[in-house]
Amino acid sequence: MPSQPPLPPLLAPYVSNLPDSSLTLVSSILGATSNWLILRFLHAALSSPSPNAAFGSDELHNGTKKKVVLVSFMRSYEFWRTEAKRLGLDLARLAEKQQFAFIDGLSELFYAPQPTATSPSISPAGLGSSPRTTLPMRSPPGAVPGRSPQPAGPTATGARGNATSKQAEPGIAKKLHFSGRGLASLDALEKDISSVIEQQKSSMEDGDELLLIIDQPDLLLAATGPSMGIGATEMSEWITALQQHAHATVLTLATDAPLIHNASTSGGLATPIETEHAALVIGLAHRARSVMQLRTLDTGAAKDVSGVLRISRGGGLNASEESLEEREALYFIQRDGGVKVFGRGES
Amino acid sequence: MAPINLSHRRTHNLLLISKLLSLRDTASPLTLVLDSLEQPATPLLKEYIRRAKLSNVHVTLIAFETLKQPDGVDVFVSTRRKSPTDIVKEVSAVYQPIAASSPSRRRLILIDSINPLLNSKRVDPGFHLPSFLGSFIAPTSPSAKVDASLVVIYHQDVPELPQQSPYSPTPISELTYLATSIITLHSFSHVLAQKAARDRSLAPPVFGLEEEQEGVLLGRLDRLVGTGKAEGIVIELEHRRKSGRGVLEWYLLPPASRYSPQHLKEIVTLLDDNVLYNPPMEQDPGAGDEEPTSTFELGLTDRQRREREGVVLPYFDAQHNDGPGEGGRILYDMGEEDDFDEEEDEI
């Protein structure tokens, strides 16, 4: 099979040149995940217009340099690094050039690396007494990089471990830690993320654009919930606050049927997570400029189609100032990581 | 609907919607706009702002969702981190200088979505929605007599959280009880599709979230927009007059690209007057008069018709005994084209 261009031409107008203070929502379900699409957003923003760049991607770079801050709650840095490499993006090098920053919301979100009272009891049995910054149980298999040394130095300074974790693991600008409850904890997370954004902005010139990608912030809602004083309204306010720091924002959220439909159909018997999640996703779709919905093929599995991508205008699109063509296309993720996007009946 | 009724509605109800949208005579102090992902309220909001600008109305937007101040809005009140009482205070504070300089100036207050407030965890249990909304329309200070209209947008598809007290009414029933007019928005292409299905006695189709298909948030696709005819939004209006009588009407608001921002004449039309919704019926009565086509001449010439009318039928004849038929005998005058067969009558 011929190798695909990193950015499928059909997709290019939707993932590049996002307008100012726009919100793009990417919705995924279990059978149709969104990481390939996020990689396309990364590629559209970060790839340098070199001669061997993909056909059609040259005109996307009209002089403005772009920076990306990726906040991931669902996938580790190693995952993004290896997947981006398959597209020809070297995230580690881009991070050194201050074009890219990764914020890890996965590995230590609920783990406070403090050598005081609580942390030994949390650490898994095999590790015994030595407190480590990474939690081995939560990183995927093979994710521990071979060449980078295991961060041995305890990040004892401060509960947030800001400064030390940066030098401990290359590529990761910051690890998020959740502490406390309610709005205060969200504020702390917001401060962490915005400090990285500001750091990126400090090296920006006029006209440069900063793209903020938040991968699955719904995990935060699911892991905390109304019992900790965090609901859909608080989450979307948190996202609004982050939006104000960035030029454009891309969010990925899960739209599996129980998380969306139970709240409206079960007649008041839905669980808090079902109601809150549905309220968050639908509320954000009302604010979004465009909503990119991923789902599996309606007619069942096929060997040359991975799923369906539907791009719709969200409630927040300023229809009088710009137009966005809605469309539905099929996509197929090949074994080499290349993605083909095509209309129905085409190939 | 009967044609007399239609012309009556055309004059009265068009005047009504024009009055409501242009905020004349404070016809409706509290307008509730119910929208959904399939038809967001953004175009209607724009129309409100456009008309307010034309008639020099002061516009305040209370933003629970909007990030940037839209064009035409005089005051933009962000609600992040503010309690309902703070919002009320700020909204009335920004109007003080204007009220002092031009006391007769009318005021429009828009709430871009009430859902975040209703779902918020932070709002204390004592929060009373009717008095919150009422305090905008009727400010407490007696000195300033403000002629204010409040337009509240409510997203119908965002699920409501369970009530804290099981005996209190849901926020949406409170809102529909308080509102003086309720506008429900529909997408024109969906209304057409549903009408086409009803005309064939089929179950009307559903779109978007109501499809309950996994991974689908929005069902709207540009299928009908290509023709350029089915654009626009359908407004279902329920207006409660002061007398208590209700008015129900369906209107069509054309897309903003169809008219200039300074357009003064009424652009909203009745849905029943739309050619696509109610195709003209003129051909049908005409088609009823025509004969089915065949190779036989089934019509009559003028002469044949005249002669047919001249025939005295036997039962007329029988009614007076002295007539030429003598009580019911069949009389027949031979015409010149009759071919009299002698043999046939010789029985």
Side-chain angles (χ1 to χ4, degrees), chain B residues 5-20 237 241 245 247-251 268 270:
Chain B
N5 200 352
L6 186 62
S7 71
H8 179 265
R9 282 162 56 206
R10 213 171 273 151
T11 45
H12 286 77
N13 292 355
L14 281 180
L15 203 64
L16 174 66
I17 187 92
S18 164
K19 227 158 89 173
L20 288 178
L237 171 77
R241 291 182 187 281
R245 203 165 64 85
V247 180
L248 278 176
E249 187 56 84
W250 290 66
Y251 301 94
V268 175
L270 291 188

Side-chain angles (χ1 to χ4, degrees), chain A residues 21 183 187 190 226 233-234 237 240-241 257 261 265 276 282 286 293 295 298 310 313 315 318 326, chain B residues 36 42 46 67-68 80-81 116 119 121-122 155 157 209 212-214 216-222:
Chain A
S21 63
L183 280 176
D187 285 349
E190 183 203 326
T233 306
E234 286 72 28
E237 271 192 10
T240 312
H261 298 301
T265 53
E276 296 283 358
I282 297 169
H286 271 286
Q293 308 162 74
R295 63 176 202 271
D298 307 344
R310 179 188 281 183
R313 288 189 287 258
N318 195 344
E326 302 194 321
Chain B
S36 64
T42 335
K46 284 238 160 5
L67 197 62
K68 273 196 311 187
R80 194 168 132 72
R81 302 279 162 79
N119 287 354
K121 297 272 169 301
R122 270 182 309 131
H155 301 316
D157 40 15
L209 282 170
E212 297 205 4
Q213 198 182 352
E214 186 160 44
V216 170
L217 285 176
L218 286 103
R220 203 153 30 99
L221 278 178
D222 281 334

Side-chain angles (χ1 to χ4, degrees), chain B residues 73-139:
Chain B
V73 172
D74 294 304
V75 178
F76 180 81
V77 178
S78 166
T79 58
R80 194 168 132 72
R81 302 279 162 79
K82 285 178 193 152
S83 73
T85 35
D86 291 345
I87 297 170
V88 171
K89 266 184 211 145
E90 186 172 343
V91 168
S92 69
V94 293
Y95 194 65
Q96 294 302 337
I98 293 126
S101 60
S102 55
S104 63
R105 199 170 168 199
R106 279 172 295 150
R107 181 173 199 204
L108 169 67
I109 303 171
L110 301 162
I111 298 182
D112 68 353
S113 151
I114 194 85
N115 302 69
L117 182 71
L118 300 177
N119 287 354
S120 177
K121 297 272 169 301
R122 270 182 309 131
V123 174
D124 57 335
F127 171 64
H128 189 230
L129 184 65
S131 43
F132 172 69
L133 296 176
S135 54
F136 291 121
I137 310 169

